[in-house]
Amino acid sequence: MKIPKDIIDELISQAQLDAPNETCGYLLGTQNGDSEAEVTENYWMENIDHSPEHFSFSPREQFAALKYARQNGLKILANWHSHPASPSRPSQEDLRLANDPTIRYAILSLHEGVHLNSFKILNGEVVDKEVHL
C-alpha cells in the first residue's frame, strides 16, 4: 500500500494533536486489480473512547465514511490508529478486533520517534507487514 508523504504528515499531525489519546480513522484510496493500493486521503474519525490505550469508532461515523468512499469511487484500504506510547505493532486487542480480512491495519507510533507500519491480519495473526515510515 502506497501512502503519500502529505497524508503521512497529516496522520502525524493528528496523532500529535490528539495525544496522549489514540487517534484513528480510515485510509481511503484506489486499487485496480492486482496493482498496488494507493491511499488518496485520510478520513479521520473521533476516538469515542478518548483513551491512550485503545480506540473505538462511532458506528455513525463508520457508516458516513463508507458512504463517502462509495460516493467518491474510493475504497477503504486501511483502518489506522495511533500508539502514542507504544511501538508500531498490533496489540493483543488490535489483533482480536481486526475482523476485516480485505483491509490493512496501519499503526502510527509516536513512541521513540515516529513510525508507521501497516499489517494484514487474518484470524488474529499478522501475515504481512509493510513499513511506511
Side-chain angles (χ1 to χ4, degrees):
M1 178 174 67
K2 181 179 178 188
I3 307 173
K5 184 183 181 322
D6 62 320
I7 292 176
I8 291 174
D9 291 344
E10 187 179 320
L11 301 180
I12 293 167
S13 293
Q14 191 62 50
Q16 290 171 333
L17 182 67
D18 289 350
N21 292 332
E22 290 189 1
T23 194
C24 53
Y26 285 138
L27 296 177
L28 307 178
T30 58
Q31 182 168 20
N32 299 317
D34 291 335
S35 67
E36 182 178 30
E38 183 166 351
V39 174
T40 57
E41 60 187 279
N42 166 40
Y43 192 100
W44 175 82
M45 290 189 280
E46 179 184 4
N47 174 0
I48 62 172
D49 291 341
H50 304 284
S51 167
E53 297 175 356
H54 54 87
F55 73 98
S56 293
F57 296 141
S58 148
R60 180 178 295 170
E61 280 190 298
Q62 280 184 287
F63 180 74
L66 181 58
K67 184 177 177 181
Y68 174 85
R70 286 182 178 162
Q71 288 175 338
N72 290 282
L74 302 171
K75 291 184 175 189
I76 295 173
L77 300 175
N79 164 325
W80 82 272
H81 70 282
S82 64
H83 279 183
S86 61
S88 177
R89 64 175 177 250
S91 66
Q92 288 302 312
E93 181 177 351
D94 294 336
L95 293 172
R96 184 176 57 80
L97 296 175
N99 56 17
D100 186 345
T102 67
I103 66 171
R104 298 189 69 80
Y105 293 85
I107 300 173
L108 176 74
S109 172
L110 301 177
H111 178 70
E112 297 179 355
V114 179
H115 305 278
L116 176 62
N117 298 313
S118 70
F119 306 88
K120 190 70 150 173
I121 300 173
L122 299 173
N123 302 317
E125 299 287 329
V126 172
V127 296
D128 179 63
K129 173 184 174 181
E130 291 180 355
V131 176
H132 302 282
L133 177 68

